[in-house]
Amino acid sequence: MAPQDHDRPMKLCFVTVGATASFHLLLQAILDDKFLAALHEANYTHLLVQYGKDSQALFEELLSKYPPGSPSRHGIEIDGFDFNHAGLDREMRLAQARPDEGRNGGLVISHAGSGSILGALRLGVPLVVVPNTTLKDNHQVELARELQKQGYVIASGHQEVYVAVERAEALRARMLAWPPVNGANQKRHRTLEQVMSDELGFLD
């Protein structure tokens, strides 16, 4: 990442499209003026993108529209990489709040892969899940909707992901009250394990 202006805390949005399938629609949505403007409005300083093994050319083409220092960047430092064989834990941790390191709490935006979902939630980072609707025979939309229904994530289509930036700030505030309390008149809250098991069928 680029050197940080020490007068302004770092606030990072990390976007991951996953290791296997391409997700060009999400890349186009985040390298768009409306999304960068939404990041700026929410005081973000950095955008880090894991764009996938076959999307480097598209990432660079889209990024060329936003030269460093130009008004179209909205002051956001943008960087990207194709894949990390060691996993994405280090990148996700950059979105954690660390005041002692000059870092405010940021955001993770991910395709609806179970590994990315569990990784972000384990770190306590607000997560926006954007299902890749171009994939066949997948349950990403159902999983994202159910996780949002239970209060764990923000579910979003790629077209309105810029709106999810503000929604994630509200989710951050709600996360401070986790785990949710089941009152006498409240519908019982499903655990993350229950949701993932029911939707994906692989967790004990």
Side-chain angles (χ1 to χ4, degrees):
M1 301 302 299
Q4 176 63 21
D5 178 355
H6 294 291
D7 293 332
R8 186 183 180 197
M10 175 181 179
K11 186 175 183 180
L12 179 134
C13 174
F14 174 54
V15 180
T16 171
V17 305
T20 52
S22 60
F23 200 172
H24 291 170
L25 292 173
L26 180 55
L27 283 182
Q28 291 166 341
I30 61 166
L31 291 176
D32 178 85
D33 182 74
K34 288 190 292 187
F35 183 78
L36 296 177
L39 288 182
H40 175 76
E41 186 69 20
N43 296 314
Y44 280 82
T45 60
H46 291 71
L47 172 62
L48 177 60
V49 184
Q50 183 265 314
Y51 48 72
K53 292 183 176 179
D54 62 349
S55 301
Q56 181 174 352
L58 176 62
F59 176 80
E60 292 177 351
E61 175 189 342
L62 293 169
L63 191 59
S64 68
K65 297 187 297 182
Y66 306 102
S70 67
S72 58
R73 276 262 184 146
H74 295 278
I76 307 294
E77 295 285 347
I78 306 174
D79 200 1
F81 61 98
D82 56 0
F83 183 66
N84 188 345
H85 291 282
L88 300 175
D89 187 72
R90 184 182 70 84
E91 287 81 9
M92 286 188 181
R93 286 183 183 279
L94 291 173
Q96 282 186 305
R98 287 287 183 269
D100 58 321
E101 298 177 10
R103 199 165 73 231
N104 287 341
L107 164 68
V108 172
I109 297 176
S110 174
H111 70 118
S114 58
S116 297
I117 290 171
L118 291 171
L121 294 182
R122 179 174 59 84
L123 295 174
V125 176
L127 175 64
V128 174
V129 177
V130 184
N132 187 346
T133 56
T134 65
L135 300 180
K136 294 181 180 180
D137 302 321
N138 76 88
H139 303 284
Q140 290 193 352
V141 174
E142 292 88 347
L143 175 60
R145 286 175 179 168
E146 185 60 28
L147 287 170
Q148 176 175 257
K149 180 181 176 182
Q150 298 301 327
Y152 290 110
V153 309
I154 299 296
S156 174
H158 65 271
Q159 303 97 325
E160 62 271 9
V161 70
Y162 68 96
V163 179
V165 174
E166 182 177 353
R167 293 174 64 201
E169 295 303 309
L171 175 60
R172 187 191 317 281
R174 293 197 304 272
M175 287 171 70
L176 296 176
W178 280 6
V181 176
N182 292 309
N185 297 321
Q186 290 179 308
K187 181 180 177 181
R188 180 155 294 279
H189 181 84
R190 295 172 68 201
T191 67
L192 179 60
E193 289 79 9
Q194 288 171 334
V195 175
M196 299 292 278
S197 178
D198 290 347
E199 298 295 332
L200 300 177
F202 73 99
L203 294 177
D204 292 329

